[in-house]
Each structure stands twice: as C-alpha cells, then as structure tokens.
Amino acid sequence: MTRFITSSFSHLILLIGILIMVVPVWMIFASSTHTSSMINMNGLQMFLGDSFYENYLRVLLYQGGFFKEITALKMFFNSFIMATGVAILSVVTSLMAAYALVYYRIKYATLLFWIIFITILVPLELRIFPTYSVMAELNLVNSYFGLIVPISASAIATLFFRQFYKTVPDELLESAKLDGANTWRFFVDFLIPLSKTMIVAMLIFMFVFGYNQYLWPLLVTTSEQYWTVVMGLKMMSGSIVHRFAFVMMSMVPPILIIIVLQKYFIKGVFQDK
Amino acid sequence: MSFLDLKNVTKIYPNGTKAVHETSLSVDEGEFMVFVGPSGCGKSTLLRMVAGLEDITEGDINLDGKLINEVDPSERDVAMVFQNYALYPHMNVYNNLAYGLKNRGIDKETIEQKVNDAAKLLQISDYLQRKPSMLSGGQRQRVAMGRAIVRNPKIFLFDEPLSNLDAKLRIQMRLEIKKLQQKVGVTSIFVTHDQVEAMTLADRLAVINNGIIEQLGTPIEIYDNPKSLFVAGFIGSPQMNFLDGNIKNKTLSAEGFEIKDIDSDFEGEVKLGIRPEHLSQRENSLINLKVDLVEQLGSDNLVYGQLKDKKDFCYRCPGNLTIEKGADLSLNIENNKYYIFDKSTGKRVN
C-alpha cells in the first residue's frame, strides 16, 4: 500500500512536469490554427480552430524581410543546408582528429587533446570578432560556406570519438596490419564501421547544434537570401497567428531527425554493443 | 641459413626495460617451435618482433633468406593468432577470413575458393555468415586460425591462443593445432606459459627466462637433461624437488643422507634436484618422507610430505598403491636420476 502511494506520488510529479512542458507548446499550436482577430479578442486558445491550412501555407510562402526577398520555405532550406553542413563537416573533422590523436605517435597528444577540449569553454560569442574578420577577408560573408565552416570543429565530438577509439583493443590494429591494412584502410574498414552508431548520434547532435545557431548567421549574413529559420523567428513580421505557425514549424526538423534516428542516438551516446 | 634466423636480437623499451637480451635462434622450415617461460620473460616480445609489431633495438631477423628488420608487418607475410583472437567484430566469418586476401588484391573467385577450403579444413563452413559475437570460444579460435591459414603465410605465430579456453577445450584445440600444423606444414612459433602445452606441441622448445633462452632442444631432451635450475623447475609437473646440499670429494651430503661417487668435479654449495616420478619405495633407502597429503589422480598418486628437516617433498607413485596420511616412506632414487646444480649460478654440474 505504501509502495502504491509513493509510486503514485512520483508519477504525479512527473505528470506535472510533463504538463508544464507540453501545455505552452500545445497552446501555441492550438492558437496558430485560429484567425488572428480571434486571438486578438479572446487570447490564447486551448482548442483547435479551422484556419490551419490557410495560416501555415501563407507563412511558408509569404515574402518576408525588409526587402521581401525571403520566404519561410527558403529559410527552412537554408537552415537545412547549414545544419547538414555543420553536422557532416564536424563529424568528419572530429573523426579524423580523434584518429590522429589516438593512433599516431604524436608527441604531447594528450596535451594537444586538452587544448582542443578547452575550446568548449570558449563560446563562439567570445571569438566572434576575429572569426568575422577572417570570414570577411576570405570573402565568405553571405555564403553557405561562411555560415557552416566557423562552427564546424567540435571538441565534444572529438572527445566522444577519442574515448571510443581508446576502447578499441590494440590487437585489432595489429591483426589488421598483419592482414595488410595500412593506416587509411584501418580507419575506413575498422574504425568507421565500429563507430557507426556513435557517428549517427554525433550527426544528430551537430545537426541540432547547427540548426539552433542564431548569433553567427545573424552576423555573417547581410543578404536576406541567407536567413535561417532561427533568425527568422526574430525577423518574421506579420500577425500573431502566423508567427505562432512559424514557431511550430521551426520545431519540426530537429524533432523529426531525433524521432527517426533515436535508436542510434541512444545507442551511440550511452555506449553501444 | 635456416628458414627463420634471429641473430643477437635485443629489445630495450623506451623506459629502459630490457625485455630480450641478445637472443639467437634458428627455426627450420616446417618446424613447430614453442617459446615457453613465465609471464614477463620476454617470449611474447620476441614473437612480436618476428611479426613486426615491436621494433628491434639491436640484432637481425632473417625470414626466408631476407632481412626483415625494417619490413612493415603487412609486407612480412606472417600470420598471427592472438590470445583474445582479435576477430573483426563488425565482419562476418567469411569476411574475417577474406579481409587479408582482399588487401592483397586477389580476385573474388580465388578468395572464395580459398576461404571455403580453409573453412572446410577447420569445420567452420556452417558459420561463414555469422558475426564473431555469435560464436563460442572454440569456434572463434578456429576462425582466428582460419584467418591465418587462408593467406598461406610463410610463418604462423601463435601468442598464447589457448589461454582463454576452458580446460577441456584447450586440450582438444591443442591436438587440433598440432594436427593442422602437420597437415599444412607451415613453420610455426607458439608462445605459451603452460609447460604441458609446450611439451605436447613442440618439435623444439625454447625455455625463456628474463629475456634469455635458457635452453633449446626437443621436449624430451629438455625434460631429461635440464641445463639449469630454472629449466629443471619449470619443465615437469609436478615440479622437481630441490634440496640444499654440499659436495666435497665427490660426495654429496644433503639433508640427512649422502650420495657417494657422484659424476662431478664440482665442490661447494649445490641444489640437488629429484623429479617426483623418479622415486620408488624401497626399505632402508636414502630419503625418508613423512606423508602429509595424498592427491589421487586415478592413474597416479601425488604424495606430499616432509623430510626430516621439515622440507617439503613430493613423490609420484602408481595409483594402485594405497598410502595413508602420516605414513613414513623410505624412497630410493631410480637409476640414479638426479640433477645437481651450482647453487650460486644455477648451472647444472653433473
């Protein structure tokens, strides 16, 4: 009986927690399906209205920005390019960095790794001036390349891959060597397949990281052509229901990618077998 | 020059540890050589230097008439079976076997042929599509050997491959390795710390201690004629009994008994070694043993006890003899089979 009471109590706490997180999102979604005059008069809504298609279609195709050069659809496209680019580039670089750190006889490899690692403590905001000036020198302002490259070296992913490689037994490398594999083949034939789940996990992680960038895209793009979704959240003008609809849609890509790949994500982050 | 030649090979690790001291050794083509010794004696290091997985500090290694000191392991054409098998966990058995061949640019049909032949030989044809994690210990062992066989290398290297198996399987695999080696006829080096494995597998045996080959010879030579205290103690189970003694004028006096007219001119402190199986019961003999414990193995009994001065001693007798705890036995050394070693150097002196 006491067990029933304690477990109901903890469930109650969890339930309250879920409600606190879900209700505001639901209210925004419900409100985004009404007309704006309805929201202006009656406030936020808890139940669905009937303007769903009308509102969402309008938001997707509406020409926004000061110069009316960008639609929400284009922003989604830009964000997708940026997030995918960041994900792929940072996974590739950290895979290779970790490989070099673990398998090559580099003097002070550990020290080098910690130097890489402390860059976690240096946020983009802190180095934004020099980074911007480098990008400007290279003529990369207002380009996808400029959006992607400066945030595509991930110390966290390097850490994950390094720790994983360290658990790979030495005999595997030795055996592969005797089987005629050179360093490149060992990387491609062994380490990449063995860290498959971790690669997927890091891809998701870095995709969401890239997608969520706000300050950097804001700085490095002056042309509305390169606006991303997260920037758009701030820049989007229009009525309140349209903004709500845009907020709802902006949540879809990261959620979708996590739902589709969550099996790998959990396996990869919490050590796979 | 023989097939594999090690000349004054030395290994010193960067931290200054000397793992192998100026070791010279030749292995003939088709020979099964076993390196045996306690853990940390340098036997694995020596094997890994042959494989190319450890740099050679000094000395030369020649394989098939070619100096291989600087040759990359992938180019040496040697195959190695590791203690934990080192199978490729993400590849199925077929690809585990085929990987080395693929890297050598052999065409697909030949690879398939070779893999299937090797699989048949090792009776793993049914598991070719399985991943290593789905195999039992014995099957993994076979796959590891298959990976070595399939490439038809110049030399097989085994680094304690049986130590992860349970006792019964170990004996079975030991037999299979020996049969297979005889069938395939490839020169092999097998590293082990288990002296029974060493004795049963070897054509020739190298007993290694502290980075030095203490003795090299056929198993029987080494058993019958150990050249040092270490070899005498290491080879043979149960271990040889050692007693302190002293030689003066060709008379050896040990704890409570004397042996006259010994075949040695040595004088001074010695260790007398007697194998438990070289003893028999006879009235009024040299050695008096008070029995503490009897281990009945079925075919044999191992009798443990103490001599007059409380020194531990072991005697091996046929299993049909009944010996009670607490009995007093009088033991004779059969055919004068005893070994005398210089106490200070450990060298054999008779």
Side-chain angles (χ1 to χ4, degrees), chain A residues 107-164:
Chain A
K107 246 190 175 177
Y108 312 117
T110 316
L111 181 73
L112 219 59
F113 168 71
W114 286 110
I115 291 174
I116 294 174
F117 193 72
I118 52 172
T119 59
I120 288 177
L121 304 178
V122 184
L124 177 73
E125 288 75 7
L126 214 62
R127 60 175 169 94
I128 212 146
F129 239 152
T131 309
Y132 184 84
S133 83
V134 168
M135 286 296 120
E137 294 279 325
L138 293 171
N139 242 335
L140 289 173
V141 177
N142 281 328
S143 71
Y144 288 123
F145 210 70
L147 277 172
I148 293 166
V149 171
I151 51 171
S152 291
S154 165
I156 295 227
T158 311
L159 167 79
F160 266 90
F161 288 125
R162 174 181 179 263
Q163 297 315 104
F164 174 71

Side-chain angles (χ1 to χ4, degrees), chain B residues 218-252:
Chain B
T218 64
I220 286 301
E221 263 169 41
I222 287 177
Y223 174 83
D224 276 345
N225 210 356
K227 292 232 171 71
S228 71
L229 197 60
F230 174 80
V231 175
F234 195 77
I235 300 293
S237 168
Q239 208 195 5
M240 188 185 276
N241 297 299
F242 290 113
L243 303 173
D244 286 322
N246 205 319
I247 303 184
K248 221 174 197 176
N249 297 327
K250 296 209 168 231
T251 302
L252 187 151

Side-chain angles (χ1 to χ4, degrees), chain A residues 174-175 178-179 189-190, chain B residues 48 74 88 90 99 147 151:
Chain A
E174 292 173 346
S175 186
L178 291 173
D179 258 345
D189 290 345
F190 289 81
Chain B
R48 290 164 60 82
S74 56
Y88 309 143
H90 57 298
Y99 186 71
R147 206 167 58 182
R151 275 173 34 208

